[in-house]
Amino acid sequence: MTHAVRDVAKRTAGALLAVFAFLMSMLVSAGPAQAAEPLPGGKANWVVSVGHMDLASKNNYRNWVRLGYYVFNTDGTVTTNYWYWHQRDQPVRVDAMTADCGGSVPTCAVRTVDGYKGDPTGGYQGTFGYASDGRLAVTWTKNAAGTPLTDPLTEYWNVEAGLAGGGAARITSPTFYGPYSKPDNWNVTIPAPGEFSSYTANFGVGYGSNASLGRESRATMSQLITDPRYNAQPYKGAFVVAKASSADPKTRVGIVGREGSGGAWSFGAAANPWKQCNGSPCMGWLQPGTSCAGTDKDRARYIAEIGGGRRHTEEDWCQSLAQGQPCYKYNSHPRPMLQVIDDSGKFQGWVGVEAFTHVSTSTGLPDSGWVEGYWGIFDMVSAALEPKLEG
């Protein structure tokens, strides 16, 4: 073999060794491949309500609620962005828009909870997997900015797949559904510490699909009132709420109850339909024959679009409380909500929260009337999602 041939052979072998060494270093730095994690119910994008509601004798009126989005990825990671309210912060109601619906509907401001008109107020990053019993385990390890949490926060969700013809899935805490409160049995079963989460969250409900979470996926007020897919059916669900046990100041205490959300009414009812606002993205209804106290049983109800994403807000109040004035400005029920949209882009209802701070009817300011509070989470969805209603 000539010197020239030997030199070529040495250079070729050296080049091959260099390539091999480079490939090995890439494999070592990359580490083992991340196994794909099945999406919960096969769905990536979720709207979720989470909260802590307990007996006042245990938490001294320190209830809180959180409403936001969960996004799951097949690499086992998950993120959330949310709005959060705590009872002790006494969040107030703020005007969102004016409901100029006409007819019998009072022309009043539609109000929501302070903070909901702006961007989400918090977020987490984390991972997810499945417990041996099949529950979805979500562990939040970092805040929205990527800073590690001092203590990870884990949630354990029951998953129901194949809802709405396979277009949606649901997650719930252990006792979110169950019998509705009765006068002789007001309290719901509150999950024991650790049963639903490693922190204080004890109730939750959420719905997922593969539809976008952007504003373009949201059903409009006009569609809800006029589209036959939406306007002829009731939207119902469960509402777990921390509230007073009775209206009697001498005997009432703080309890946790389960009520029904929504009702038998529909948006396009021929006899008494909801009316779309003229200048704002909202709708209103003066609901007759309700449970309001006094001789005037009408209840003013409003639903409005807010900001981007899937955001809506609901507000209702008894007309008798206005005492002859066109609008009631004090202790209404404000409920931030997020729309449930299935894989096909069809509206299927809402998940939401209530953050009710009692205010003085003379000043309009929070008066630390803790037992008067009304803090809860709910779903209000179509029959296609088959909520487990009992009562």
Side-chain angles (χ1 to χ4, degrees):
M1 183 180 292
T2 66
H3 290 294
V5 171
R6 282 196 296 270
D7 289 344
V8 170
K10 289 179 179 178
R11 288 196 297 271
T12 301
L16 289 173
L17 286 171
V19 170
F20 178 76
F22 172 75
L23 292 174
M24 289 301 295
S25 68
M26 291 296 290
L27 288 172
V28 170
S29 63
Q34 176 70 47
E37 195 72 58
L39 297 175
K43 310 305 178 186
N45 299 324
W46 292 72
V47 290
V48 182
S49 297
V50 181
H52 166 71
M53 279 80 70
D54 208 337
L55 307 179
S57 59
K58 292 184 178 180
N59 72 0
N60 194 24
Y61 301 105
R62 283 174 166 79
N63 304 297
W64 60 261
V65 292
R66 194 174 80 209
L67 177 67
Y69 306 107
Y70 283 21
V71 177
F72 295 88
N73 305 295
T74 55
D75 65 358
T77 60
V78 57
T79 59
T80 181
N81 292 288
Y82 58 77
W83 293 265
Y84 168 90
W85 297 276
H86 194 288
Q87 187 171 12
R88 286 285 165 168
D89 293 334
Q90 298 192 98
V92 297
R93 300 162 184 80
V94 295
D95 294 353
M97 62 192 67
T98 298
D100 52 348
C101 307
S104 61
V105 181
T107 299
C108 298
V110 183
R111 299 182 298 169
T112 190
V113 185
D114 191 21
Y116 195 52
K117 295 196 297 180
D119 292 336
T121 55
Y124 293 127
Q125 302 174 27
T127 60
F128 74 95
Y130 298 91
S132 59
D133 58 5
R135 289 181 300 163
L136 170 68
V138 176
T139 300
W140 305 116
T141 57
K142 303 175 182 179
N143 65 16
T147 303
L149 302 178
T150 302
D151 296 306
L153 310 174
T154 301
E155 301 159 3
Y156 299 98
W157 295 89
N158 299 320
V159 181
E160 295 177 76
L163 303 178
R170 174 166 52 223
I171 54 176
T172 54
S173 58
T175 62
F176 176 73
Y177 290 124
Y180 291 168
S181 298
K182 304 293 184 184
D184 59 345
N185 182 22
W186 282 110
N187 297 332
V188 303
T189 300
I190 299 172
E195 186 177 356
F196 172 56
S197 81
S198 65
Y199 60 114
T200 59
N202 56 7
F203 290 100
V205 60
Y207 288 86
S209 74
N210 293 313
S212 164
L213 292 172
R215 185 171 188 163
E216 70 280 359
S217 70
R218 184 171 66 188
T220 66
M221 295 291 109
S222 176
Q223 287 175 316
L224 295 182
I225 291 175
T226 64
D227 192 321
R229 295 178 299 171
Y230 309 141
N231 69 358
Q233 66 173 309
Y235 295 87
K236 299 180 179 181
F239 184 19
V240 177
V241 57
K243 59 180 183 178
S245 59
S246 73
D248 185 352
K250 297 179 180 179
T251 61
R252 62 185 167 186
V253 295
I255 61 160
V256 178
R258 186 185 294 103
E259 305 175 0
S261 61
W265 42 267
S266 57
F267 295 123
N272 192 15
W274 286 67
K275 299 182 183 298
Q276 187 172 350
C277 301
N278 294 316
S280 303
C282 61
M283 59 181 175
W285 180 38
L286 189 63
Q287 181 183 11
T290 71
S291 60
C292 290
T295 57
D296 187 346
K297 299 294 185 180
D298 291 348
R299 185 187 300 271
R301 290 188 178 274
Y302 305 96
I303 295 176
E305 297 177 1
I306 291 185
R310 303 261 195 93
R311 271 182 284 177
H312 274 183
T313 196
E314 179 188 22
E315 183 186 24
D316 73 76
W317 42 269
C318 293
Q319 195 168 45
S320 58
L321 295 175
Q323 297 183 347
Q325 298 298 310
C327 305
Y328 180 58
K329 301 178 181 180
Y330 302 111
N331 294 298
S332 65
H333 291 273
R335 299 186 182 103
M337 305 188 298
L338 293 173
Q339 285 193 7
V340 177
I341 305 294
D342 69 18
D343 285 350
S344 68
K346 184 179 179 181
F347 169 80
Q348 297 286 0
W350 298 269
V351 296
V353 301
E354 179 157 347
F356 177 116
T357 294
H358 192 269
V359 300
S360 165
T361 55
S362 59
T363 66
L365 300 175
D367 59 6
S368 299
W370 306 116
V371 74
E372 308 279 0
Y374 215 81
W375 287 72
I377 64 171
F378 64 90
D379 63 351
M380 190 164 64
V381 293
S382 69
L385 293 183
E386 301 175 355
K388 298 176 180 177
L389 302 178
E390 298 183 41

